[in-house]
């Protein structure tokens, strides 16, 4: 191992715009383009005496002997790619972003570490397609005259001090094509965080990312790797001075071959936790390493082991140790929470973890039923296990067993309050709020959300508080208090912005609130902002969900062309998931549009497809909703025999449905005199 060398250098990062989507659409062709990309960039980097440190997928990390060399190479690259793209068309074109910075690094084992490496990587991420972004620090060292526009002060993800960033244009003609105000508007449109120069930010935050834990046991034990990682990330969220990547971010790179330093750049963090876990019948063992990306040093290498019901305590012990290394002081309340003994039976806890995993991460038909079985078995073993009752209630809620769900959730609350189990209460209050919100009992939902928010303030869990505020907003909106609903959403947004969390869900929910206020232009604006963020995160499932809501708005205002286009986009995005529920909802939306347009044959075809999807996942609520539309269609086309036949099926299915809204719709339909009801 080489001795680390500290020095100043000129840094270069680049990546291909939309590379992940290109790979998904045509992997073979995209890899051919990547080879051409590498040849072009290598030639120009070498021509200006640059050194490629490494390739990170489609990204290139390099350094140069001077910032002038780095800029000249960058301009040469963008000019050559611009000329190339003028010759090629469509799928044969590609664009890159380039970010440049000058700063101090630590060279160790052929890699470069340090905060300035992180800064350069973040600068590249906010460069516009086909352009070059450069830090003010680097620009001030640049000799000669260059065409530039200033972004302003930009808050880069997980970089405490905002950076002044500039765009360098490849020539005068390129510069003259863009007005400064147009550049700023485009940056804001892309949700680049341009801040007030006087705005203050915390400068003593530690950031941690995670490699998805390596499972050293059987394949079916992966649920425990997921559960422990979720526990650890959830516990870290209670510490104001430490921020971590979330489960979605970590999951994106679960099966991607990246080194520790490469993953840190992808996650925009200064430290990485690497874990391997072996899970046995009664115990588990975790090997954990904490590596600093400031210098490549290993800060922790340690092993923890225990029974499954000690998961919370072991997670707490790990966090206490890491907080001590970072000189982060924990409150007495948090120390007490992290050291709390869990008296739940070990086998019951293991079944609970697996059942919760299946319910939270449904991927196959029957996962919910298997989750219910495991959670019931956990309760049979330990009938005072509050979290098992709560998660069983939420699983039953998803299955449509609402009365049983309510009983389980109320039992969970009684048990947690009797045992003063704050750890469980944080989750149970949220579950109860979500349940009663879904059952349209909004005042009751609000009461539970408010109790949760009060408890969270004791433990300073900002991230969970943002989720509660987000959820409570929906209930206030449903009782007609839209101003208060928006106020809660803006508070949630403020917390997420402070924590540098993505704002897609906030924008989406604000869009829903404006939709309910019938302010459709504002709703569409927020939905489009949400979609842009979801695209940057690769959250295609959320994109499809928002496009479906947009489609509903366009139906309401009679713009069927835009409604169809939104559904077409949702369908295209959803194709990669093979998600029966999403596919069924899309088909049902198509059916409603065609029905409204009196295109009854197309509507019937879409209804049939929707029912097929819902039957595959045994979702009787949506099967019944689809069949009610089918009855209405048959009545419109005077197919009374078919209408009666479908109605009889609906009556049979309704015995397994407890949703009052759908049952009320069926009851209203039964009053139609065209139906021959015995």
């Amino acid at each position: 191992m080489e001795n680390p060398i500290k020095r100043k250098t000129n840094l270069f990062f680049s990546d291909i715009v939309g590379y992940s989507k290109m790979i998904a659409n045509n992997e073979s062709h995209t890899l051919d383009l990547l080879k051409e990309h590498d040849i072009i960039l290598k030639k120009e980097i070498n021509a200006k005496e640059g050194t490629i440190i490494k390739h990170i997928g489609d990204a290139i990390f390099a350094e140069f002997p001077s910032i002038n060399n780095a800029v000249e190479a960058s301009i040469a690259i963008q000019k050559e790619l611009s000329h190339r793209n003028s010759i090629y068309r469509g799928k044969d074109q590609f664009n890159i972003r380039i970010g440049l910075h000058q700063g101090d690094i630590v060279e160790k084992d052929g890699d470069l570490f340090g905060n300035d490496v992180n800064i350069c990587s973040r600068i590249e991420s906010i460069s516009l397609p086909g352009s070059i972004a450069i830090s003010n620090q680097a620009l001030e060292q640049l000799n000669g005259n260059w065409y530039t526009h200033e972004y302003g002060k930009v808050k880069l993800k997980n970089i405490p001090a905002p950076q002044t960033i500039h765009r360098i244009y490849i020539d005068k003609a390129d510069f003259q094509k863009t007005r400064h105000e147009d550049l700023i508007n485009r940056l804001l449109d892309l949700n680049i965080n341009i801040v007030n120069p006087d705005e203050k930010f915390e400068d003593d935050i530690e950031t941690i990312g995670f490699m998805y834990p390596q499972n050293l046991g059987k394949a079916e034990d992966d649920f425990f790797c997921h559960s422990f990682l979720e526990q650890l990330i959830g516990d870290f969220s209670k510490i104001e001075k430490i921020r971590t990547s979330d489960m979605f971010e970590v999951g994106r790179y679960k099966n991607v071959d990246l080194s520790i330093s490469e993953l840190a750049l992808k996650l925009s963090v200064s430290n990485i936790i690497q874990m391997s876990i072996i899970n046995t019948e009664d115990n588990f063992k975790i090997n954990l390493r904490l590596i600093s990306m400031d210098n490549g040093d290993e800060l922790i290498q340690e092993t923890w082991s225990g029974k499954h019901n000690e998961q919370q305590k072991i997670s707490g012990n790990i966090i206490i140790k890491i907080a001590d290394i970072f000189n982060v002081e924990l409150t007495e309340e948090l120390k007490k929470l992290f050291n709390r003994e869990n008296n739940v039976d070990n086998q019951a806890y293991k079944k609970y973890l697996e059942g919760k995993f299946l319910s939270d991460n449904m991927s196959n038909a029957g996962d919910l039923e298997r989750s219910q079985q495991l959670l019931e078995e956990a309760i049979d073993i330990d009938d005072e296990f509050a979290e098992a009752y709560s998660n069983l209630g939420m699983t039953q809620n998803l299955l449509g067993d609402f009365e049983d769900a309510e009983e389980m959730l109320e039992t969970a609350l009684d048990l947690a309050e009797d045992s003063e189990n704050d750890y469980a209460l944080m989750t149970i209050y949220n579950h109860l709020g979500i349940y009663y919100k879904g059952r349209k009992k909004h005042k009751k939902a609000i009461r539970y959300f408010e109790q949760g928010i009060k408890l969270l303030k004791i433990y300073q869990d900002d991230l969970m508080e943002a989720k509660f505020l987000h959820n409570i907003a929906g209930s206030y909106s449903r009782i007609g208090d839209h101003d208060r609903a928006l106020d809660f959403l803006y508070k949630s947004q403020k917390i997420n912005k402070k924590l540098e969390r993505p704002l897609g869900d906030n924008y989406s929910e604000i869009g829903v609130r404006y939709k309910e206020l019938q302010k459709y232009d504002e709703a569409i604006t927020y939905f489009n902002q949400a979609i842009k963020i979801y695209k940057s995160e690769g959250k295609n499932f959320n994109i499809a969900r928002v496009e479906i809501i947009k489609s509903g708005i366009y139906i309401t205002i009679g713009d069927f062309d835009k409604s169809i286009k939104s559904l077409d986009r949702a369908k295209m995005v959803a194709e990669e998931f093979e998600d029966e529920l999403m596919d069924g909802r899309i088909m049902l939306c198509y059916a409603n549009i065609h029905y409204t347009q009196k295109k009854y044959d197309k509507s019937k075809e879409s209804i049939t497809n929707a029912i097929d999807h819902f039957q595959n996942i045994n979702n009787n609520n949506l099967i019944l909703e689809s069949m009610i539309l089918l009855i209405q269609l048959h009545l419109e086309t005077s197919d009374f025999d078919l209408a009666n036949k479908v109605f009889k099926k609906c009556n049979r299915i309704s015995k397994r449905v407890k949703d009052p809204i759908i049952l009320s719709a069926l009851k209203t339909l039964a009053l139609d005199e065209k139906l021959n009801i015995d």
Side-chain angles (χ1 to χ4, degrees):
M1 183 178 290
E2 300 174 6
N3 291 325
I5 300 170
K6 295 182 179 180
R7 57 183 173 84
K8 187 179 288 291
T9 192
N10 303 284
L11 300 164
F12 168 108
F13 269 95
S14 71
D15 79 347
I16 298 176
V17 178
Y19 182 76
S20 297
K21 186 175 181 180
M22 291 165 64
I23 280 285
N25 290 338
N26 190 331
E27 181 175 359
S28 175
H29 181 64
T30 302
L31 291 176
D32 287 339
L33 292 178
L34 179 61
K35 290 176 184 176
E36 185 181 355
H37 158 276
D38 289 351
I39 290 169
I40 293 170
L41 268 68
K42 183 178 180 180
K43 180 188 71 173
E44 300 299 346
I45 289 170
N46 288 342
K48 295 299 177 181
E49 303 176 66
T51 301
I52 294 177
I53 307 302
K54 58 186 172 185
H55 295 256
I56 310 171
D58 61 304
I60 287 181
F61 173 27
E63 65 170 331
F64 289 84
S66 75
I67 194 62
N68 273 70
N69 287 45
V71 169
E72 289 165 7
S74 300
I75 288 176
I77 289 166
Q78 294 292 24
K79 279 186 174 180
E80 183 163 349
L81 290 179
S82 177
H83 174 69
R84 179 199 173 280
N85 287 339
S86 70
I87 299 171
Y88 291 93
R89 291 290 179 268
K91 67 177 183 178
D92 294 320
Q93 295 179 332
F94 65 87
N95 291 295
I96 72 167
R97 302 182 188 89
I98 295 176
L100 303 175
H101 180 55
Q102 183 184 81
D104 298 316
I105 56 91
V106 174
E107 183 178 0
K108 184 178 181 181
D109 299 329
D111 206 348
L112 303 186
F113 299 89
N115 187 53
D116 286 304
V117 174
N118 296 332
I119 289 174
C120 189
S121 174
R122 313 295 198 280
I123 292 171
E124 178 270 308
S125 71
I126 64 167
S127 175
L128 296 175
S131 76
I132 305 160
I134 186 171
S135 67
N136 192 66
Q137 188 173 331
L139 187 68
E140 287 180 342
Q141 303 303 314
L142 192 58
N143 297 319
N145 297 316
W146 307 88
Y147 295 100
T148 66
H149 275 145
E150 184 180 315
Y151 282 30
K153 288 277 187 182
V154 179
K155 181 65 176 69
L156 302 170
K157 184 177 179 181
N158 288 334
I159 301 296
Q163 304 290 313
T164 300
I165 307 298
H166 306 261
R167 175 176 176 177
I168 290 187
Y169 293 86
I170 61 175
D171 54 30
K172 184 177 181 180
D174 187 32
F175 173 75
Q176 290 177 333
K177 285 190 296 186
T178 306
R179 296 185 306 165
H180 186 228
E181 62 186 274
D182 293 334
L183 170 66
I184 299 302
N185 288 334
R186 190 174 177 194
L187 295 170
L188 293 173
D189 193 45
L190 292 171
N191 294 295
I192 291 171
N193 192 11
I194 299 174
V195 299
N196 188 310
D198 299 324
E199 192 171 348
K200 301 297 182 184
F201 294 89
E202 295 176 280
D203 59 1
D204 55 350
I205 301 294
E206 292 289 346
T207 58
I208 301 175
F210 297 86
M211 279 192 147
Y212 195 90
Q214 181 186 7
N215 178 14
L216 299 178
K218 300 174 183 177
E220 56 265 31
D221 290 334
D222 194 54
F223 80 89
F224 189 80
C225 294
H226 181 279
S227 297
F228 191 84
L229 177 63
E230 186 176 48
Q231 179 78 49
L232 202 56
I233 289 175
D235 287 342
F236 267 121
S237 73
K238 298 173 177 61
I239 304 174
E240 187 177 5
K241 298 296 184 182
I242 299 177
R243 293 181 189 160
T244 68
S245 45
D246 61 27
M247 287 295 294
F248 178 81
E249 288 179 296
V250 178
R252 285 178 72 181
Y253 301 105
K254 179 179 178 181
N255 297 312
V256 180
D257 185 19
L258 294 172
S259 70
I260 289 172
S261 61
E262 291 167 353
L263 180 63
L265 292 171
K266 293 285 187 183
L267 295 175
S268 303
V269 294
S270 298
N271 303 275
I272 286 287
I273 286 178
Q274 183 182 37
M275 291 185 285
S276 60
I277 300 177
I278 185 163
N279 179 42
T280 63
E281 184 65 26
D282 297 315
N283 301 280
F284 69 95
K285 182 168 75 173
I286 293 176
N287 302 306
L288 182 144
R289 296 173 68 219
L290 174 66
I291 303 100
S292 168
M293 293 299 106
D294 288 339
N295 50 30
D297 287 352
E298 187 175 78
L299 305 179
I300 294 176
Q301 182 171 11
E302 197 165 327
T303 298
W304 282 265
S305 61
K307 294 184 175 181
H308 298 102
N309 61 5
E310 295 178 296
Q311 174 179 282
Q312 293 175 0
K313 189 171 183 179
I314 290 174
S315 170
N317 289 340
I318 290 171
I319 288 174
I320 289 169
K321 186 175 183 71
I322 291 174
D324 184 57
I325 288 173
F326 290 150
N327 294 315
V328 172
E329 188 172 347
L330 302 181
T331 65
E332 289 304 315
E333 288 85 1
L334 274 181
K335 290 178 184 177
K336 182 180 176 182
L337 189 71
F338 289 152
N339 283 307
R340 182 180 179 275
E341 293 291 338
N342 184 358
N343 297 318
V344 173
D345 179 89
N346 191 49
Q347 279 302 308
Y349 201 81
K350 185 179 180 183
K351 288 179 180 292
Y352 156 76
L353 291 176
E354 187 174 359
K356 181 178 182 298
F357 172 79
L358 288 171
S359 181
D360 291 347
N361 302 276
M362 290 180 289
S363 58
N364 298 299
D367 278 354
L368 283 178
E369 287 79 4
R370 175 61 178 154
S371 170
Q372 177 173 286
Q373 179 186 345
L374 286 164
L375 292 167
E376 287 174 344
E377 289 173 2
I379 291 168
D380 286 342
I381 296 170
D382 190 333
D383 62 3
E384 294 186 355
F385 189 178
E387 291 99 321
Y389 282 100
S390 185
N391 279 276
L392 176 58
M394 295 309 289
T395 298
Q396 291 170 331
N397 184 47
L398 290 171
L399 287 166
D401 299 331
F402 302 119
E403 291 180 8
D404 292 341
E406 183 173 8
E407 182 182 348
M408 291 300 105
L409 289 166
E410 294 291 351
T411 301
L413 179 63
D414 291 341
L415 289 169
E417 288 181 337
D418 289 346
S419 60
E420 298 181 348
N421 185 349
D422 286 351
Y423 220 118
L425 281 171
M426 292 181 210
T427 299
I428 293 168
Y429 285 140
N430 195 38
H431 283 174
L432 280 161
I434 291 169
Y435 170 78
Y436 284 116
K437 179 182 172 184
R439 304 274 42 83
K440 318 299 180 189
K441 297 179 180 179
H442 296 294
K443 290 183 179 179
K444 206 166 185 178
I446 288 168
R447 187 164 71 248
Y448 285 118
F449 285 137
E450 286 176 342
Q451 286 178 273
I453 290 168
K454 288 177 185 176
L455 183 60
L456 290 166
K457 287 187 181 296
I458 296 173
Y459 296 103
Q460 300 177 350
D461 192 336
D462 287 347
L463 182 59
M464 196 66 177
E465 183 181 349
K467 291 179 181 178
F468 270 82
L469 291 169
H470 183 92
N471 289 336
I472 200 173
S475 287
Y476 271 109
S477 180
R478 296 301 191 278
I479 62 174
D481 195 342
H482 299 294
D483 289 338
R484 194 145 188 209
L486 285 169
D487 181 55
F488 278 117
L489 285 173
Y490 289 132
K491 285 179 180 177
S492 173
Q493 184 182 39
K494 185 177 180 180
I495 293 172
N496 281 320
K497 194 170 183 179
K498 183 187 83 169
L499 298 176
E500 299 187 72
R501 294 283 177 174
L503 299 177
D505 290 344
N506 283 106
Y507 287 138
S508 175
E509 192 66 20
I510 292 171
V512 171
R513 301 288 77 80
Y514 277 118
K515 171 179 173 283
E516 291 171 346
L517 286 167
Q518 298 182 9
K519 295 183 177 181
Y520 298 125
D521 288 342
E522 291 92 334
I524 293 295
T525 297
Y526 275 102
F527 285 139
N528 287 338
Q529 285 182 290
I531 287 170
K532 287 172 187 172
I533 294 173
Y534 290 147
K535 282 182 178 177
S536 70
E537 299 174 298
K539 290 186 175 180
N540 290 340
F541 190 89
N542 290 17
I543 293 171
R545 180 178 57 81
V546 173
E547 289 288 5
I548 290 171
I549 300 172
K550 282 175 59 181
S551 173
I553 291 177
Y554 289 130
I555 291 174
T556 301
I557 62 178
D559 194 335
F560 298 115
D561 288 341
K562 285 186 178 179
S563 181
I564 290 287
K565 286 178 181 177
S566 281
L567 280 182
D568 288 345
R569 287 192 291 268
K571 184 180 178 184
M572 182 177 67
V573 170
E575 282 175 352
E576 68 183 83
F577 296 108
E578 297 183 2
D579 184 278
E580 298 282 6
L581 181 60
M582 176 67 76
D583 292 340
R585 287 188 183 279
I586 291 170
M587 287 297 108
L588 188 54
C589 286
Y590 276 123
N592 276 294
I593 294 171
H594 296 319
Y595 177 80
T596 304
Q597 294 179 307
K598 300 187 183 303
K599 297 177 180 178
Y600 296 126
D601 287 342
K602 284 188 174 182
S603 181
K604 183 177 179 180
E605 181 182 353
S606 296
I607 294 171
T608 302
N609 286 333
I611 291 172
D612 286 343
H613 287 300
F614 297 143
Q615 284 177 334
N616 288 339
I617 54 174
N618 299 318
N619 192 314
N620 290 313
N621 288 3
L622 290 172
I623 292 170
L624 190 57
E625 183 179 335
S626 304
M627 293 178 79
I628 288 171
L629 179 60
L630 186 58
I631 293 170
Q632 292 170 330
L633 187 154
H634 287 319
L635 292 175
E636 284 288 332
T637 56
S638 300
D639 293 329
F640 302 125
D641 288 342
L642 285 174
N644 278 290
K645 186 176 180 181
V646 176
F647 186 84
K648 289 177 182 178
K649 289 182 180 178
C650 285
N651 270 337
R652 291 196 295 271
I653 294 171
S654 68
K655 295 174 183 177
R656 302 191 295 274
V657 170
K658 298 178 182 179
D659 189 307
I661 296 175
I662 297 175
L663 292 175
S664 176
L666 183 63
K667 189 174 181 180
T668 301
L669 193 60
L671 299 175
D672 194 307
E673 61 185 18
K674 300 185 191 72
L675 287 172
N676 181 22
I677 301 170
D678 296 331

